[in-house]
């Protein structure tokens, strides 16, 4: 349907609705991908560009969507439309930013919790840390025991 709309001479309201619906569905499909799920966990959300990269490169269903849409609308308008589609798909804006780009957390009904168990990393001692000696800092609780200071005798004062 979208290919027919982009091939025609006009771009009517019906064609716009098809484009909007497909954008929302593509964003929802992207949220189900393991790649975006991992990015969401590792980086506290995904950017709009991450979603678009998945749609363009990793999706068999929506791979041609951006090219088809850019035949009919300007790139800036397409970016705005994809931002609105991300919101309609259920993503929520995160407090974390990637430069100027906002990060979006995936829709709550789609997030798959991490199931894999990973062993904690082991710490290796480097030669430089074993040879270092701590110097006294002059304060804190790391003082060596000392004799208490004697108070002056009141009779001698």
């Amino acid at each position: 349907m979208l290919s027919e709309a982009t091939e025609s001479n006009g771009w009517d309201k019906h064609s716009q609705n098809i484009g909007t619906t497909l954008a929302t569905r593509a964003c929802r499909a992207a949220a189900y991908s393991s790649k975006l799920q991992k990015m969401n966990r590792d980086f506290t959300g995904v950017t709009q560009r991450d979603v678009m990269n998945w749609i363009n490169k990793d999706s068999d269903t929506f791979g041609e969507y951006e090219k088809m849409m850019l035949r009919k609308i300007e790139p800036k308008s397409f970016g705005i439309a994809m931002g609105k589609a991300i919101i309609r798909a259920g993503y929520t804006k995160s407090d974390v930013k990637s430069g100027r780009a906002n990060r979006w957390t995936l829709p709550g009904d789609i997030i798959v919790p991490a199931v894999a168990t990973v062993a904690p990393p082991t710490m290796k001692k480097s030669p430089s840390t074993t040879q270092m000696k701590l110097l006294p800092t002059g304060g804190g609780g790391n003082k060596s025991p000392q004799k208490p200071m004697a108070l002056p005798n009141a009779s001698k004062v």
Side-chain angles (χ1 to χ4, degrees), residues 118-124:
V118 180
T122 57
M123 299 295 287
K124 294 181 180 177

Side-chain angles (χ1 to χ4, degrees), residues 3-71:
S3 61
E4 292 172 8
T6 56
E7 301 290 326
S8 68
N9 290 334
W11 187 246
D12 59 356
K13 182 71 174 166
H14 180 69
S15 302
Q16 292 173 13
N17 288 341
I18 291 171
T20 300
T21 302
L22 287 176
T24 305
R25 289 187 181 197
C27 291
R28 295 273 306 169
Y32 279 104
S33 76
S34 59
K35 181 178 180 180
L36 260 65
Q37 293 277 336
K38 183 176 180 340
M39 291 174 83
N40 188 57
R41 280 191 301 273
D42 294 346
F43 303 114
T44 317
V46 296
T47 63
Q48 182 174 332
R49 189 74 260 170
D50 294 334
V51 174
M52 287 309 304
N53 285 341
W54 183 87
I55 291 170
N56 291 330
K57 297 175 185 171
D58 299 331
S59 173
D60 296 331
T61 306
F62 301 102
E64 296 293 316
Y65 174 73
E66 184 174 5
K67 290 177 190 171
M68 294 169 99
M69 290 298 290
L70 290 176
R71 287 185 206 149

Side-chain angles (χ1 to χ4, degrees), residues 49-120:
R49 189 74 260 170
D50 294 334
V51 174
M52 287 309 304
N53 285 341
W54 183 87
I55 291 170
N56 291 330
K57 297 175 185 171
D58 299 331
S59 173
D60 296 331
T61 306
F62 301 102
E64 296 293 316
Y65 174 73
E66 184 174 5
K67 290 177 190 171
M68 294 169 99
M69 290 298 290
L70 290 176
R71 287 185 206 149
K72 290 295 180 176
I73 62 175
E74 294 294 320
K76 187 174 181 178
S77 298
F78 178 73
I80 292 168
M82 286 308 298
K84 290 177 181 178
I86 284 175
I87 293 169
R88 274 191 220 102
Y91 291 68
T92 53
K93 195 180 283 191
S94 172
D95 293 336
V96 180
K97 288 204 175 241
S98 287
R100 290 177 51 195
N102 290 319
R103 286 210 164 268
W104 299 87
T105 55
L106 299 182
D109 61 325
I110 295 178
I111 295 178
V112 179
V115 181
T117 56
V118 180

